[in-house]
DNA sequence: CCACTCATGTAAACAGTTACATGATTCT
DNA sequence: AGAATCATGTAACTGTTTACATGAGTGG
């Protein structure tokens, strides 16, 4: 259900077509919420049907049109409702921890290899998060820039702080994963030694 | 698919009935992988059909029987295969971060309330993780105790270290969440001030 | 005999993944 | 002319959640 709110959140910045949204979801939004095209387009249609969005047909090329989605008052009200409703704690379901608990069942070399892969992944992820955080602070981030255009300086500052706060959480998580992976290398030495 | 491996992982400790497993999944295993009864029983049947488990009918009371599941060699081999196969990085999909990025859309009092709830949840969760970690270190944890009975002291020590390592990761994550929530309280002061 | 635990599921709905499908437009 | 991008999906499948269903055994 959160996909719905992630879509509204994005569209409060500026109206977008399904394609624009889909591109955002494969870049910056993906840090907070991932979804493939095949989930986005049908959900946009359902949201329009439910009155949370309206769409404007925009000519594209000679014959084609594209649909630009706008958040309705109803959509914004529902978004606020969700924002203020209690957050249900996520159930733990991360294969990395499950595997770690049983590292003694696997070949230490294979474990080391997996740790290396995870390390590369999280290092790249962390770098991306830090780049995005910087683009929020200096307000060069395109979606943020579009959003804060409509706001006064005080409101803009608060909007930026919230986004930076979210990224700080993600960055802390990434660092914590990397520290844990580092400890994993020490553990695997014991397993093979 | 990881449910399957979580089930085998648990059953490598000792043979269990569906009910035992289901109880484990609502207590200690839930720290690493959550699943409800309605997912566990059908999966056990599929795993038996696929030759990963065998079951022994055990009389229960006067008329009834219960099924005790044992991991087969095939099951153990497949588990090792999974353990040594690359770990696909989890896509980010945590409503807490999505909400945080848009805190400026919500009433600060509502945000503060949610932060408090999250704080209570993570504090309790952390306490439970630390209790479980302690029971692994002193080897009083029932599933672990059953598992290490079959092992020599060196192997037992390694098995314990792996489980402790997994819990250390979960504990670090919980602490990181709590620190982030703490920062959230500071942020919400700015939003309402 | 009543409540609780033990025991095992089914059914429907929802969320998410993977693979496939198609055609127009713009850039080189 | 061909490649890349813009644009929008459908279909089949897997995984997860929620609600419901049922009955035997055990302890007070």
């Amino acid at each position: 259900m959160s996909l719905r709110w992630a879509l509204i959140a994005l569209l409060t910045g500026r109206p977008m077509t399904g394609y624009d949204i889909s591109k955002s979801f494969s870049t910056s939004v993906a840090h907070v919420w991932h979804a493939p095209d095949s989930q986005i387009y049908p959900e946009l249609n359902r949201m329009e049907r439910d009155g949370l969005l309206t769409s404007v047909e925009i000519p594209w090329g000679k014959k084609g049109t594209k649909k630009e989605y706008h958040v309705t008052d109803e959509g914004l009200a529902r978004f606020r409702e969700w924002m203020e409703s209690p957050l249900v704690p996520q159930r733990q379901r991360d294969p990395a921890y499950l595997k770690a608990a049983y590292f003694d069942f696997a070949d230490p070399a294979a474990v080391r290899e997996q740790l290396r892969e995870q390390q590369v992944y999280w290092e790249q992820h962390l770098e991306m998060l830090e780049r995005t955080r910087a683009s929020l602070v200096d307000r060069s981030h395109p979606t943020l820039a579009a959003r804060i255009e409509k706001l006064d300086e005080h409101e803009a500052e608060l909007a930026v702080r919230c986004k930076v706060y979210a990224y700080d959480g993600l960055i802390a998580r990434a660092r914590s994963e990397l520290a844990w992976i580092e400890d994993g290398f020490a553990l695997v030495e014991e397993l093979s030694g």
Side-chain angles (χ1 to χ4, degrees), chain A:
Chain A
M1 206 49 177
S2 294
L3 171 60
R4 176 161 288 207
W5 311 124
L7 289 167
I8 291 194
L10 184 62
L11 288 169
T12 56
R14 63 179 177 87
M16 287 182 173
T17 66
Y19 187 76
D20 296 334
I21 293 169
S22 155
K23 288 303 113 175
S24 291
F25 264 79
S26 53
T27 57
S28 66
V29 181
H31 305 147
V32 178
W33 201 270
H34 166 81
D37 297 9
S38 60
Q39 211 186 349
I40 292 171
Y41 287 107
E43 184 63 22
L44 288 170
N45 285 326
R46 279 191 293 268
M47 287 166 77
E48 188 176 8
R49 186 202 60 200
D50 295 347
L52 307 181
L53 303 177
T54 46
S55 66
V56 178
E57 293 271 336
I58 291 189
W60 179 66
K62 280 155 201 137
K63 315 186 221 167
T65 58
K66 55 185 180 179
K67 276 162 90 178
E68 191 180 59
Y69 289 97
H70 299 246
V71 180
T72 63
D73 291 344
E74 163 94 6
L76 196 61
R78 291 288 185 80
F79 177 61
R80 277 187 221 276
E81 253 174 55
W82 174 73
M83 281 295 298
E84 296 180 1
S85 69
L87 188 55
V88 283
Q90 289 297 99
R91 324 282 187 117
Q92 190 65 242
R93 206 176 280 120
D94 187 337
Y97 292 87
L98 176 56
K99 272 196 178 184
Y102 293 87
F103 271 171
D104 54 323
F105 275 76
D107 172 34
V111 171
R112 207 177 286 119
E113 179 54 25
Q114 284 183 57
L115 285 170
R116 262 198 290 266
E117 281 170 20
Q118 288 292 300
Q119 193 176 39
V120 169
Y121 167 77
W122 280 106
E123 273 167 357
Q124 287 173 352
H125 190 65
L126 176 58
E127 231 182 274
M128 189 159 41
L129 291 172
E130 281 174 333
R131 269 202 304 276
T132 308
R133 186 195 189 276
S135 77
L136 292 169
V137 171
D138 70 20
R139 302 190 184 184
S140 63
H141 188 286
T143 312
L144 179 73
R147 173 191 306 282
I148 63 181
E149 254 182 32
K150 302 177 266 175
L151 304 176
D152 68 34
E153 176 47 33
H154 179 66
E155 287 170 333
E157 181 57 27
L158 294 179
V160 170
R161 292 229 182 162
C162 290
K163 267 126 215 94
V164 169
Y165 171 65
Y167 272 83
D168 283 342
L170 294 170
I171 287 167
R173 178 179 279 194
R175 286 194 208 284
S176 159
E177 287 293 326
L178 281 166
W180 187 59
I181 289 164
E182 208 56 64
D183 292 342
F185 283 115
L187 176 66
V188 80
E189 283 317 303
E190 286 186 61
L191 291 177
S192 55

